[in-house]
């Protein structure tokens, strides 16, 4: 579901993810894999030990997610009860037979929801609860198959509206490192990293040096690349074979170079040096050249 609020003119992509064994229920509210930023980020909710955590994460290779920070999720006095406004059914864009429901907050704010029933018997209430209660203080109480596709907010001195209008299935598997995320929450990250450190890894993950023509900015970007690659290997080496790792190394170089060119982060001379240095390090990506810890 894509949510757009006219009040702050910000859009976020909202996608519901579930682990196949149902042990890691998560809900992304901001998933970014566009070629705009060096770090691909994903923000999600994580249910653990009867608490809900709002997680900041990193996305590796378009499918692996690690936690990067968290806070306890809470919603302040969300409006929980919406009543049916009338027997009239409404239309909005491609949606038909929408039911209008209304509620009034204690400050007098009137909220109108237009609810569609997709009749697929899927429970969409959990994503709606998390997103709407955190951002707008409302909990719409949806039934199975129901989604909010349009909302009006009438305040004392202005008016706002929001859309839930774009829905599509994502035919991709995304994997969350359950042990890593829970170690982060439990403040046991050092122990987790010590326990999971691979027996061997690329030499440049331990120590590396660059050529004399590498300036400070290029060195900074090279170190960021290697930090990302080495973290990816350390967290996911049991799931990925070495050929997949080498493929990611190459594709990540290509992705970053495109971003540097688009944003003028590195000039032509710096990009040449950047590529030369990484192409030299590629020779260390074969298992026989890995170093032992």
């Amino acid at each position: 579901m894509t949510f757009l609020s006219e009040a702050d003119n910000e859009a976020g992509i909202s996608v519901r993810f579930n682990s196949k064994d149902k042990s890691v229920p998560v809900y992304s509210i901001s998933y970014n894999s566009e070629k705009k930023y060096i770090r691909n980020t994903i923000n999600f909710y994580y249910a653990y030990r009867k608490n809900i955590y709002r997680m900041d994460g990193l996305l590796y290779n378009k499918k692996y997610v690690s936690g990067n920070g968290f806070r306890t999720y809470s919603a302040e006095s969300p409006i929980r009860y919406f009543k049916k406004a009338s027997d009239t059914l409404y239309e909005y864009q491609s949606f038909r037979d929408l039911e209008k429901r209304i509620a009034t907050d204690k400050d007098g704010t009137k909220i109108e929801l237009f609810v569609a029933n997709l009749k697929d018997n899927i429970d969409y209430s959990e994503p709606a609860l998390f997103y709407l209660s955190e951002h707008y203080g409302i909990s719409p109480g949806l039934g199975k198959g129901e989604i909010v596709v349009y909302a009006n907010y009438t305040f004392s001195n202005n008016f706002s509206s929001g859309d839930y209008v774009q829905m599509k299935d994502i035919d991709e598997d995304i994997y969350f490192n359950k042990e890593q995320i829970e170690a982060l929450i439990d403040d046991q990250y050092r122990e987790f990293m010590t326990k999971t450190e691979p027996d061997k890894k690329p030499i440049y993950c331990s120590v590396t040096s660059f050529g004399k023509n590498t300036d400070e900015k290029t060195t900074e970007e090279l170190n960021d690349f290697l930090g990302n690659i080495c973290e990816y290997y350390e967290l996911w080496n049991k799931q990925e074979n070495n050929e997949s790792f080498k493929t990611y190394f190459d594709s990540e170089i290509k992705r970053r170079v495109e971003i540097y060119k688009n944003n003028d982060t590195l000039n032509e001379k710096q990009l040449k040096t950047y590529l030369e240095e990484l192409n030299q390090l590629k020779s260390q990506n074969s298992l026989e050249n890995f170093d032992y810890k």
Side-chain angles (χ1 to χ4, degrees), residues 11-152:
I13 301 173
S14 302
V15 186
R16 171 78 178 274
F17 296 103
N18 281 301
S19 63
K20 290 183 177 179
D21 63 1
K22 305 299 181 184
S23 63
V24 191
V26 294
Y27 174 58
S28 167
I29 65 165
S30 179
Y31 169 70
N32 168 42
S33 61
E34 299 297 321
K35 294 179 179 178
K36 296 179 182 178
Y37 309 102
I38 289 299
R39 289 283 173 135
N40 274 333
T41 60
I42 180 168
N43 304 317
F44 57 97
Y45 294 100
Y46 189 87
Y48 177 55
R49 292 184 177 174
K50 298 182 179 180
N51 289 320
I52 299 293
Y53 296 91
R54 173 72 163 77
M55 305 292 300
D56 301 315
L58 296 176
L59 182 67
Y60 301 88
N61 204 10
K62 298 181 180 179
K63 59 181 177 180
Y64 294 118
V65 176
S66 70
N68 194 41
F70 69 92
R71 66 177 185 268
T72 304
Y73 160 79
S74 63
E76 296 182 1
S77 304
I79 300 173
R80 298 185 180 276
Y81 302 105
F82 285 78
K83 63 181 181 180
K84 184 177 177 181
S86 70
D87 292 329
T88 304
L89 295 178
Y90 297 82
E91 295 183 2
Y92 183 76
Q93 295 191 4
S94 62
F95 295 95
R96 302 291 181 268
D97 299 330
L98 301 180
E99 183 178 291
K100 181 180 177 181
R101 300 174 188 172
I102 61 172
T104 303
D105 199 356
K106 57 187 177 183
D107 65 358
T109 301
K110 181 181 178 182
I111 304 172
E112 299 176 334
L113 304 181
F114 293 84
V115 177
N117 193 328
L118 304 182
K119 298 181 181 178
D120 56 11
N121 208 37
I122 295 175
D123 187 354
Y124 297 99
S125 61
E126 184 180 357
L129 170 62
F130 285 147
Y131 191 89
L132 292 172
S133 60
E134 180 173 21
H135 292 273
Y136 291 93
I138 62 176
S139 174
L142 301 175
K144 286 188 176 181
E146 291 185 340
I147 61 168
V148 178
V149 297
Y150 190 79
N152 286 326

Side-chain angles (χ1 to χ4, degrees), residues 61 225 246-256:
N61 204 10
F225 174 90
K246 289 192 286 187
T247 299
Y248 177 56
F249 189 99
D250 293 340
S251 65
E252 185 65 3
I253 292 176
K254 182 179 178 180
R255 187 185 73 86
R256 289 182 176 228

